[in-house]
Structure formats: structure tokens, C-alpha cells
Amino acid sequence: MRIIIAGMGDVGYQLAKDLSNESHDIIAIDKNSARLSYTDSMADILTLIGSATSIETLKSAKVEKADLFVAVTSSEEVNVTSSIIAKKLGAKRTIARISNAEYLNPEISKSFTELGIDFMIYPEELAAVETVHLINRAAATDVLEFEGGKLSVIGLRLDKDAPVIRKTLKEISNEYPNIDFRIAALHRNFHTIIPKGNDRFLANDQVFMITKPEGNEMIMKLAGKENINFDKIMILGGSGIGKRVAQMLEEKMSVKLIESDQEKSEELADELSETLVIKGDGRDIDLLAQEGIVDVDAYIAVTNDAETNIISCLMAKHLGVKKVIALVDKVDYIPLTQTIGLDSLINKKLIAANNISRFIRKGEVVALTTLEGIDAEVLEYIAQPGSPITKKPVKDLGFPKEAMIGGLIRSNDVQIVVGDTQIQQGDKVVIFTLPGGIKKIEKFFK
């Protein structure tokens, strides 16, 4: 594919990085030459200094030959305008990053489609949805759902007294032969592996399991996370994410939201009928104590300042809050946050890049997700008629050792994949892979 990416900020850079190892023609456009220089280490990327709304710049990028035009600058106006112009100049498909939730309304969205924008991505909404998933799955560090939750990938950090500690994968399989889950990846000391039979689990390991809904209770038990329910939530920051999370949770949980801006806090108090909105500074430990932070089950920090989010979450954790979630938009901070005691982090730019990736990947990929802070990806493929994946049972496929087939969805039937499983055409197959496995996997599905 010929792909033009307008905007080399965090979202554009992540997209370019994800795609640079594949045989796409990628053209990166940005007004800032320093940002474009970040792509120097990537293969097959052509850079162009200029404005994405300039017809001359777009023609220089040969936009008329583009299979996909992706506008992910920090300016919504530039993204919308450049996508419309790109479509008019001949780009086959266009994607625009937006910052206005109104545009996602089906009626309004239809108007943008008529103007030439095929898909709009609103990172704040995606981040809010992921945050709510993490609250609903109380003990999880990561939650990804496929087909409306028929199959899930759940990340958990193992407690020191968890039943699986110091056991090998083979021992766990023998002890629990009929369980509806599969351990797909293990992250320890900044290193991610696809575990094999003799790999042993240790306290504080982060494990990723592919599970059916009926397996959820058992995997929580095995990770030492039984009987955790959340009723009281505190949110720091009334931004788009904080407000949206409060809206989604306030009907079923007791929610307090702290916002430092007077005018904004008054607006939020009017809009959030079931949420207690407090005007104050979330870094003030006396305020947090006064508002009963020791009694809350989960603390979510989603201000626009990563340092504030990290520090306030560490304070909350120190005061005994069961789960803390921080919005961390500085990608460099991600590995650090996992070593200092944060339970989960949200990176809205990485989430946005993941959602755009599914439009771009070759083969029959219907979904792709990069997990924050770990060197692994989760892919969902559709098995095509006559593709190699359908020819033999899984154990005889010679599947790459950097990857693991975790589960499949066949119409309304959900299966955890084992060695004897035979994948059929039309199956949706969920795969866990390290970066080196992606190219090898694609040939099995073609």
C-alpha cells in the first residue's frame, strides 16, 4: 500500500514505526523538520516538509496514487481539511484524528463521509472506554475484548501468594486441564516472552491470558486476585477522558471527580448529575484525605500533565487504594511506570495508533493492538478459504515460535485453541505475537 501520514507527533510516529518493517510505501508529512528526522532510522519512509493542507505538498506526495491518507496532526482543523482535500485529489481512503466528540454522532459522521472522510478517530473516547474496561475487570492491568467480549485478553500481575507461583506452564496445564483460558505471554524485567512448557511463573510477573467469559473467575483465582469489586471511584481531571469515564460509571458506582479549574468544575457539576465534582488540586494530599481517598477502590488520574498523573497515583497507592490508573502520554515514561508501582496506564496516542493500524495491515487482519509497555501485539485474523492455517491441526502447522494462537470465534462458538484444534475457513483467530513474528504469521492466512 501507498500510505501518506500527515503529522509526525506521537501518533504519526507510532504508526510509521509499526509499518516501517513491512513493504508499504510510506510518505510522512510535517512542517517540523526535527520531527521528520525521528523517522531516519526507519526503513522505506519518504519525508516531506510542508503543510498537510497545501495542495502543492499533497501533489508532491503523489496523493492521487495513495491507498490511504492518515491525518493525525495535533490540529483537528488541519486533519479534517487535509483529509477532504486528499480525497478530492484522488486518495482511495482517508482517516482523520478529531478532538470533538460531536463528530462521532452517526448523523454528523455521515456528513463527513459525504465530504470524503472515511473514518474518524477520537483518542479521548477510546481512552475512556479502555479505562472503564479496566475498572470493570478490577484486578486486570490490561483488557482487550474481541467480538463484544466473547473472547478477551486479560493482563494480570501475579501476587506473591498466587497458586501458580513457581510452577511451570506444563504443571499448570496438567493441574487445570479443563480451563477456558490460555496463558499467552509473560512480561518480566522489561522482557516479554511467549511461554513454553518449562517456563516458570514468579511473583510480580505480568501475564496475559486469552479467555472465554466462563474462564474469568478461575484466572483471577490463579493470579491471587479473588473477590475484588469496585464501588467507589475517584477521578482526577475533568478533561474529555475524565468526564467521559464519569458518565460511563456514575450510574453503577459512587464517583468523585476533582478538577482544578473553577469554570470547568462548575460545567462538569451541571453535566454529571450523579457525580460529586470537587474543585481542587489533586496533588494536595490533605484534599485527597479530606475527600476520603482511603475509602476509594480505584483512583484514575487523567489530567493533561503526565507527571501530575503519575505522582498523584503513587500517593493514592501509598494511601492504600486498590487500583490506580494513570494517563501517560509520554511514551518514554511507559516502561518506568510499570516498575514504580502503577497498576495500569492509558496512552491515548498509542490507542489511536492501534485503531488506525487495523485499516493498514496487510493480509486478513481485522484487529491489531499493541499493549502499552510490553513488546507484544495481539492480532485477530480471518482464516481465508484455502489458506495454510486451515490445512492442518495447529500442532502440525510449524507456527512461528515467537507467536501463539490463543483462541478462535466460529459463528457463535468460542474455542480456546489447543494442539489438536483444526482451524476452518471463516474462523476469527486471535494471536499473541512478539514483533518478529508478524511477517511470518501473515503467510499462514493468505
Side-chain angles (χ1 to χ4, degrees):
M1 289 176 72
R2 184 178 180 83
I3 301 162
I4 298 174
I5 303 173
M8 273 292 114
D10 286 340
V11 179
Y13 177 80
Q14 184 67 39
L15 266 179
K17 186 178 170 187
D18 287 347
L19 298 165
S20 63
N21 297 322
E22 300 176 21
S23 52
H24 301 296
D25 293 329
I26 300 171
I27 300 96
I29 300 174
D30 202 294
K31 288 196 280 191
N32 186 328
S33 59
R35 280 185 179 167
L36 290 172
S37 69
Y38 296 149
T39 64
D40 288 348
S41 61
M42 299 180 197
D44 304 324
I45 293 185
L46 177 71
T47 58
L48 203 57
I49 299 172
S51 168
T53 55
S54 160
I55 291 174
E56 187 181 339
T57 301
L58 292 176
K59 283 185 174 176
S60 298
K62 295 189 168 55
V63 70
E64 71 281 359
K65 294 181 179 176
D67 296 293
L68 187 63
F69 178 85
V70 185
V72 286
T73 74
S74 56
S75 165
E76 180 181 70
E77 290 80 5
V78 168
N79 296 337
V80 169
T81 305
S82 61
S83 295
I84 292 169
I85 295 170
K87 191 76 165 197
K88 299 297 180 196
L89 293 174
K92 286 181 187 156
R93 287 190 296 175
T94 60
I95 297 174
R97 172 186 173 185
I98 59 169
S99 53
N100 187 339
E102 278 184 324
Y103 294 171
L104 295 177
N105 179 299
E107 285 299 310
I108 298 171
S109 179
K110 188 178 170 189
S111 301
F112 279 102
T113 305
E114 289 166 0
L115 286 168
I117 300 175
D118 296 303
F119 182 63
M120 290 185 291
I121 197 137
Y122 179 39
E124 284 77 8
E125 175 72 13
L126 297 170
V129 168
E130 183 155 328
T131 303
V132 170
H133 279 325
L134 288 167
I135 293 297
N136 289 337
R137 299 282 177 84
T141 60
D142 299 81
V143 177
L144 311 173
E145 291 190 341
F146 298 90
E147 294 293 298
K150 289 179 186 172
L151 204 58
S152 302
V153 172
I154 297 180
L156 293 162
R157 199 169 295 282
L158 298 181
D159 288 350
K160 63 180 183 297
D161 52 356
V164 297
I165 294 299
R166 305 216 62 82
K167 290 182 181 174
T168 65
L169 185 57
K170 193 184 292 182
E171 288 167 349
I172 296 166
S173 299
N174 291 336
E175 202 171 330
Y176 303 96
N178 301 316
I179 299 302
D180 296 306
F181 71 84
R182 223 175 152 195
I183 299 172
L186 166 65
H187 186 68
R188 179 191 298 156
N189 299 333
F190 300 102
H191 186 58
T192 308
I193 63 166
I194 303 295
K196 305 299 180 208
N198 292 320
D199 286 314
R200 205 172 288 278
F201 295 92
L202 303 176
N204 216 36
D205 281 351
Q206 190 174 12
V207 296
F208 292 86
M209 308 192 198
I210 296 178
T211 177
K212 295 157 69 170
E214 48 268 40
N216 287 340
E217 192 175 327
M218 179 55 80
I219 65 170
M220 293 296 173
K221 183 177 178 180
L222 293 180
K225 307 279 186 186
E226 286 183 89
N227 302 323
I228 300 177
N229 288 308
F230 289 170
D231 297 312
K232 297 178 181 177
I233 310 293
M234 187 178 282
I235 302 169
L236 174 63
S239 62
I241 299 172
K243 175 183 167 184
R244 191 74 187 97
V245 170
Q247 285 174 332
M248 288 191 268
L249 293 177
E250 66 178 1
E251 294 296 330
K252 53 186 177 180
M253 296 178 190
S254 168
V255 180
K256 291 181 179 180
L257 188 151
I258 301 173
E259 169 56 51
S260 58
D261 182 84
Q262 179 71 42
E263 192 176 332
K264 200 174 199 179
S265 58
E266 289 173 4
E267 286 175 15
L268 289 165
D270 288 339
E271 292 180 48
L272 300 169
S273 57
E274 301 298 321
T275 297
L276 176 61
V277 179
I278 301 149
K279 193 264 171 193
D281 184 348
R283 293 167 298 186
D284 182 349
I285 200 160
D286 291 332
L287 173 70
L288 294 177
Q290 190 180 325
E291 295 303 332
I293 192 166
V294 292
D295 297 320
V296 305
D297 300 305
Y299 180 83
I300 303 164
V302 285
T303 73
N304 293 323
D305 184 77
E307 289 86 352
T308 296
N309 297 338
I310 292 169
I311 291 166
S312 65
C313 277
L314 289 175
M315 286 197 304
K317 198 73 181 169
H318 177 70
L319 292 168
V321 176
K322 292 176 199 163
K323 182 165 191 169
V324 296
I325 302 171
L327 174 69
V328 181
D329 268 348
K330 292 186 178 176
V331 178
D332 294 344
Y333 284 3
I334 292 175
L336 169 71
T337 57
Q338 300 193 326
T339 63
I340 59 176
L342 297 189
D343 298 310
S344 300
L345 61 92
I346 299 289
N347 183 296
K348 64 175 189 264
K349 293 169 182 174
L350 197 53
I351 295 168
N354 286 338
N355 275 264
I356 294 168
S357 283
R358 72 179 184 210
F359 278 77
I360 298 173
R361 290 279 171 174
K362 300 182 302 191
E364 297 304 323
V365 181
V366 290
L368 173 138
T369 305
T370 304
L371 293 157
E372 286 100 331
I374 82 160
D375 200 19
E377 294 186 346
V378 185
L379 302 125
E380 183 183 2
Y381 279 89
I382 295 176
Q384 297 302 301
S387 57
I389 198 79
T390 62
K391 298 286 176 65
K392 299 174 185 174
V394 167
K395 65 183 178 187
D396 299 327
L397 286 171
F399 208 67
K401 65 178 185 297
E402 304 97 326
M404 173 193 269
I405 302 173
L408 65 82
I409 300 159
R410 182 179 296 156
S411 300
N412 288 320
D413 181 36
V414 181
Q415 297 179 26
I416 299 300
V417 171
V418 294
D420 293 327
T421 302
Q422 176 77 51
I423 291 168
Q424 299 175 11
Q425 69 177 58
D427 285 352
K428 290 183 178 176
V429 185
V430 177
I431 295 168
F432 231 97
T433 179
L434 303 180
I438 294 174
K439 277 190 174 178
K440 298 174 187 175
I441 292 166
E442 284 179 348
K443 66 184 182 189
F444 283 90
F445 287 88
K446 294 207 169 203

